[in-house]
Structures are given as structure tokens and as C-alpha cells.
Amino acid sequence: SFISVSTASFAAVTASAPSGFTSTSEDDFMFFVNGVIAEHDALTVQQSGSKFYMLVNNNSVGYDLESGDEIVAFGKFNS
């Protein structure tokens, strides 16, 4: 679901790293917006309760997010 033209949110139990693992950052994820990979310098991620937020720097991406945009995220945790 979209909060604004620069924020996408995903329902998630947690995006935080388990105890003993390095903290999660945008470098632990790959985001694809409409099939095109989004560069890490254009993104910030944060966890807020049961929501996982992807905050987008519209100037870096080159456009505003729209409700019809498709976002796919892949992630991992480092030990």
C-alpha cells in the first residue's frame, strides 16, 4: 500500500535482523519498481510496528510513486 508519492509500505512481521545478526539496512534488500532495480542511494528502509517502509528519494528515482506501481523486494540477513 502507498502512503505518499515517496513512500511504499509492506505488511511484515519484522524486517529487523534476528538477535546476533548485523542490523538490517537498505543494502540487505533489492527493490524493483515496475521491473527496474532501484538504486540503494535512492532508498531508505525502516520498520514501524507491523509495517515495513520503503522511503524513496524521488529526485534520485526520477519520478513519483503511483498507486499502480509494482514493487518487488528481496532481502537477506548477514551474520
Side-chain angles (χ1 to χ4, degrees):
S1 67
F2 288 89
I3 305 304
S4 72
V5 297
S6 62
T7 306
S9 64
F10 306 88
V13 174
T14 183
S16 300
S19 178
F21 285 76
T22 305
S23 296
T24 305
S25 76
E26 63 268 12
D27 294 329
D28 296 308
F29 296 89
M30 289 179 15
F31 290 98
F32 296 86
V33 180
N34 298 323
V36 178
I37 193 163
E39 296 295 328
H40 290 187
D41 62 352
L43 306 171
T44 304
V45 296
Q46 72 183 52
Q47 179 83 33
S48 179
S50 63
K51 293 284 187 181
F52 175 66
Y53 290 103
M54 179 183 84
L55 310 174
V56 177
N57 179 334
N58 294 346
N59 292 330
S60 293
V61 172
Y63 59 90
D64 293 340
L65 296 176
E66 296 181 3
S67 61
D69 288 340
E70 179 183 60
I71 298 173
V72 177
F74 294 94
K76 64 179 179 64
F77 296 111
N78 295 323
S79 59

